[in-house]
């Protein structure tokens, strides 16, 4: 199943800079692992925001929830998930 995921990140200013840097590094490592595995095939930055739109491929809602909740930045994210289905006019 494909899912469109909109993530908005809001790291609190009270989080120490070294802790924020550590969490961001862990986030990058984990997200790139999911990308290499084909579970996170697309990620686009939203210009001017600390946000992205991504496409995830997951077996089901539970697998997607596990992937998202394991993101190191998850506690600082607002996430909206939209399940996707093939469009009948698509040539792919």
């Amino acid at each position: 199943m494909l899912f469109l995921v909109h993530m908005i990140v809001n790291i609190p200013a009270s989080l120490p800079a070294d802790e924020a840097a550590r969490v961001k590094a862990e986030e990058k490592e984990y997200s790139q692992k999911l990308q290499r595995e084909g579970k996170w095939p697309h990620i686009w930055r939203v210009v001017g925001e600390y946000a992205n739109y991504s496409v995830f491929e997951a077996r089901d809602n539970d697998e997607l929830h596990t992937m998202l909740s394991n993101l190191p930045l998850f506690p600082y994210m607002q996430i909206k998930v939209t399940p996707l289905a093939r469009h009948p006019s698509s040539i792919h």
Side-chain angles (χ1 to χ4, degrees), residues 2-47:
L2 294 178
F3 298 89
L4 177 66
V5 180
H6 183 208
M7 297 180 225
I8 300 171
V9 182
N10 186 15
I11 298 174
S14 61
L15 191 68
D18 59 335
E19 176 68 8
R22 182 190 63 75
V23 172
K24 289 177 190 179
E26 290 176 1
E27 178 84 9
K28 183 175 184 177
E29 182 180 331
Y30 179 64
S31 69
Q32 289 180 347
K33 174 185 175 287
L34 292 176
Q35 290 173 62
R36 284 189 292 276
E37 292 173 354
K39 299 203 176 273
W40 194 336
H42 300 281
I43 181 171
W44 294 276
R45 176 180 294 181
V46 178
V47 176

Side-chain angles (χ1 to χ4, degrees), residues 30 34 39 56-58 63-71:
Y30 179 64
L34 292 176
K39 299 203 176 273
F56 281 81
E57 186 159 341
E63 182 183 28
L64 178 65
H65 181 77
T66 298
M67 284 188 278
L68 296 176
S69 62
N70 284 329
L71 289 166

Side-chain angles (χ1 to χ4, degrees), residues 15 20 31 39-40 48 50 59-60 65 67 74 77-78 81:
L15 191 68
S31 69
K39 299 203 176 273
W40 194 336
Y50 195 171
R59 232 179 357 267
D60 53 32
H65 181 77
M67 284 188 278
F74 181 77
M77 288 182 175
Q78 176 185 349
V81 175

